[in-house]
Amino acid sequence: METMTSNTPTTTSVISSKDLLTHWQAHRGLTRRVIEAFPEKELFEFSIGGMRPFAKIIMELLAIGAPGVKEIAEGTVQQLNEDLEQADTKEKILALWDEATATIDQYWAQIPDQRFQEKIMAFGQYEGTVQSTVLYYIDNEIHHRGQGYVYLRALGIEPPFFWQR
Amino acid sequence: METMTSNTPTTTSVISSKDLLTHWQAHRGLTRRVIEAFPEKELFEFSIGGMRPFAKIIMELLAIGAPGVKEIAEGTVQQLNEDLEQADTKEKILALWDEATATIDQYWAQIPDQRFQEKIMAFGQYEGTVQSTVLYYIDNEIHHRGQGYVYLRALGIEPPFFWQR
């Protein structure tokens, strides 16, 4: 990535790369269970207040997670692609989710610890460090999944426990 | 805290204590703007699907954030107290929020880096390390704030941008 600079951290750190990956994949496991909790039709159609159906939200998360980690690992610029064409059933979405899980593990292993404080430009446009960018991806998933919880409650469906990872 | 053990990290870490505090306080600033975006009445009364009104959710976050950090810093066991009595207006809730912001900064400064991998029992009952516990507090805030975004959209109110910290 062209904006990447070598930037050695000056402070001791408290969360390891392994901690952060474990944390994210545990969240991704919970998000998978939230997808599963939606009835097929409502996954693609139900919404509140003009917001996107949960399937659309998941396509955003799929467009960010694995491509985002691949971009960091390889230093290439990825395009954001939220095209739903390839995923018009819950089963297909879950398959894409599982594929992304493996891709994230694969490319994460290629990011050396010392790169986490490096400045990058995610998807060619979002400035941050590797660590702040990854935290953003995780937070964005939690944020949108929280919306999915409200959709499920509004549909009278009990969502998975938030603390169960 | 009685269950605390000394547990030296065996891996290099990638997020500093300062990164993590900055990250959390930036999220807390966004949560404050979400509170502000609610009309007074709806803050205390509006809900979807039998979930709590946003004021109740905020009282949970207030019960966790500053007391949780104080507990980690001092090694004392805190009680979860979500009593709304002291905060029956938006103004009072915002004042409690700002007080918590200062308390978190104050006690965070008393947590040495090497403690973040220590095992603790948060609020006497939730097992984790210091870092996993703090991440849980942050994630819990993002999760519930995401619910607040849906409430605002359902009320026809544009929420603050998620990426604006």
Side-chain angles (χ1 to χ4, degrees):
Chain A
M1 208 169 305
E2 55 291 310
T3 58
M4 214 170 264
T5 57
S6 179
N7 198 353
T8 310
T10 53
T11 52
T12 312
S13 293
V14 297
I15 298 179
S16 72
S17 166
K18 183 167 172 288
D19 290 335
L20 195 56
L21 177 62
T22 303
H23 179 70
W24 190 8
Q25 292 288 26
H27 269 300
R28 296 187 72 265
L30 176 58
T31 304
R32 191 186 198 284
R33 290 197 295 282
V34 174
I35 300 168
E36 282 184 300
F38 272 84
E40 183 80 30
K41 182 176 151 68
E42 280 73 13
L43 179 61
F44 290 90
E45 293 178 11
F46 184 78
S47 88
I48 292 175
M51 303 181 92
R52 293 170 291 178
F54 199 59
K56 273 273 189 198
I57 289 174
I58 292 301
M59 293 316 285
E60 177 193 310
L61 301 181
L62 284 168
I64 291 172
V69 174
K70 184 171 187 284
E71 179 184 57
I72 292 168
E74 297 195 326
T76 51
V77 176
Q78 297 282 316
Q79 295 303 311
L80 272 175
N81 176 14
E82 302 180 24
D83 194 348
L84 251 179
E85 270 183 292
Q86 303 297 317
D88 52 4
T89 66
K90 179 155 85 170
E91 195 187 342
K92 285 185 197 168
I93 286 185
L94 289 171
L96 288 176
W97 195 259
D98 293 338
E99 198 184 302
T101 302
T103 305
I104 289 170
D105 280 345
Q106 177 195 338
Y107 285 101
W108 190 276
Q110 300 174 22
I111 308 172
D113 287 349
Q114 60 271 22
R115 292 215 35 229
F116 280 78
Q117 296 293 334
E118 266 180 18
K119 284 187 184 145
I120 58 169
M121 192 74 90
F123 294 98
Q125 54 184 316
Y126 305 107
E127 209 179 305
T129 59
V130 169
Q131 60 90 5
S132 75
T133 301
V134 170
L135 282 176
Y136 190 90
Y137 297 164
I138 299 171
D139 297 347
N140 186 57
E141 177 170 339
I142 300 167
H143 170 71
H144 286 307
R145 190 182 56 210
Q147 302 178 358
Y149 271 67
V150 186
Y151 287 10
L152 287 174
R153 289 281 183 196
L155 290 164
I157 296 165
E158 174 106 23
F161 292 119
F162 176 68
W163 43 262
Q164 206 166 42
R165 306 284 158 83
Chain B
M1 206 169 303
E2 56 291 310
T3 59
M4 214 170 263
T5 56
S6 179
N7 199 352
T8 310
T10 53
T11 51
T12 311
S13 294
V14 297
I15 298 179
S16 73
S17 167
K18 183 167 171 289
D19 291 335
L20 195 57
L21 177 63
T22 304
H23 179 70
W24 191 7
Q25 292 289 25
H27 269 301
R28 295 187 72 265
L30 176 58
T31 304
R32 191 186 198 284
R33 290 197 294 281
V34 173
I35 300 169
E36 281 183 302
F38 272 85
E40 183 81 31
K41 182 176 152 67
E42 281 74 12
L43 180 61
F44 291 90
E45 293 179 11
F46 184 78
S47 88
I48 292 176
M51 303 181 93
R52 293 169 292 177
F54 199 59
K56 273 276 190 196
I57 288 173
I58 292 299
M59 293 315 286
E60 177 193 308
L61 301 181
L62 284 168
I64 291 172
V69 174
K70 184 172 188 283
E71 180 183 57
I72 293 168
E74 298 195 326
T76 50
V77 176
Q78 298 282 315
Q79 295 304 309
L80 271 176
N81 177 15
E82 301 179 25
D83 194 348
L84 252 180
E85 270 183 290
Q86 303 296 317
D88 52 4
T89 67
K90 180 156 83 170
E91 195 188 341
K92 285 183 197 169
I93 287 184
L94 289 171
L96 288 175
W97 195 259
D98 293 337
E99 200 184 301
T101 302
T103 305
I104 289 169
D105 279 344
Q106 178 196 337
Y107 286 102
W108 191 276
Q110 299 173 23
I111 308 172
D113 287 349
Q114 61 270 24
R115 291 214 35 229
F116 280 79
Q117 296 291 335
E118 268 180 18
K119 283 187 185 148
I120 59 170
M121 193 75 90
F123 295 98
Q125 54 184 317
Y126 306 107
E127 210 179 303
T129 59
V130 169
Q131 60 90 4
S132 75
T133 301
V134 170
L135 283 176
Y136 189 89
Y137 297 165
I138 299 172
D139 297 347
N140 187 56
E141 177 171 339
I142 300 168
H143 171 70
H144 285 308
R145 190 183 57 210
Q147 301 178 0
Y149 271 67
V150 186
Y151 287 11
L152 287 174
R153 288 281 182 197
L155 290 164
I157 296 165
E158 174 107 22
F161 293 119
F162 177 69
W163 42 263
Q164 207 167 42
R165 306 285 158 82

